[in-house]
Amino acid sequence: MYDLFDEFPATDAAYFEAANNAHDLAHWKPSHDTVYEAGRRVGFSKLRRRDTGAGKRAFAKVYKDVCKAWMRGERFKRDVIQPKQYGEEISEQELLNRRVIGRGRVCQLKDLLRGAT
């Protein structure tokens, strides 16, 4: 009989890979598309929150179905998640201008607190 998991990662390895990378999907490069798809179908937030036993059982069931679908020729589209960019890109001159404006406003606040107008 043909072994379903000849070309796929083992279920345990796939589960731990998905669970360990569920927190940072933008930087994760799955070992196989079926691992990512099974994690997506179960829900990455559920993989992060569930206890190991329940999460593992749910993932194993879905993973088996995903592997069968892959063997039938179905392919899964992975949405590319861009890492979050914090802040904005500004030039050095703009940064200097913001500092000067900020210092001026701090001086105004100090004067207001002292009672000077």
Side-chain angles (χ1 to χ4, degrees), residues 18-29 48 78 81 83:
N20 289 337
N21 291 293
H23 67 285
D24 191 12
L25 299 174
H27 293 103
W28 177 33
K29 301 209 183 327
R48 287 192 300 258
R78 179 177 179 211
I81 301 170

Side-chain angles (χ1 to χ4, degrees), residues 6-25:
D6 271 349
E7 66 177 272
F8 306 112
T11 304
D12 289 342
Y15 167 74
F16 285 115
E17 179 183 350
N20 289 337
N21 291 293
H23 67 285
D24 191 12
L25 299 174

Side-chain angles (χ1 to χ4, degrees), residues 33-44 47 59 62-63 66:
D33 289 342
T34 56
V35 177
Y36 183 86
E37 181 64 17
R40 187 190 67 77
R41 288 185 185 184
V42 170
F44 289 110
L47 287 178
F59 184 86
V62 170
Y63 185 63
V66 169

Side-chain angles (χ1 to χ4, degrees), residues 21-100:
N21 291 293
H23 67 285
D24 191 12
L25 299 174
H27 293 103
W28 177 33
K29 301 209 183 327
S31 59
H32 199 281
D33 289 342
T34 56
V35 177
Y36 183 86
E37 181 64 17
R40 187 190 67 77
R41 288 185 185 184
V42 170
F44 289 110
S45 61
K46 289 181 182 177
L47 287 178
R48 287 192 300 258
R49 290 182 303 196
R50 279 191 178 167
D51 65 329
T52 305
K56 209 174 196 182
R57 286 189 298 275
F59 184 86
K61 181 180 177 199
V62 170
Y63 185 63
K64 183 178 176 183
D65 294 338
V66 169
C67 289
K68 285 180 182 177
W70 184 274
M71 295 294 288
R72 287 191 310 267
E74 188 176 338
R75 295 300 180 254
F76 311 107
K77 183 181 177 200
R78 179 177 179 211
D79 296 328
V80 177
I81 301 170
Q82 297 297 325
K84 288 185 179 181
Q85 297 292 328
Y86 295 102
E88 58 187 76
E89 297 286 329
I90 58 173
S91 67
E92 287 185 39
Q93 184 62 38
E94 179 65 24
L95 182 62
L96 182 61
N97 290 341
R98 288 182 183 187
R99 286 182 181 160
V100 169

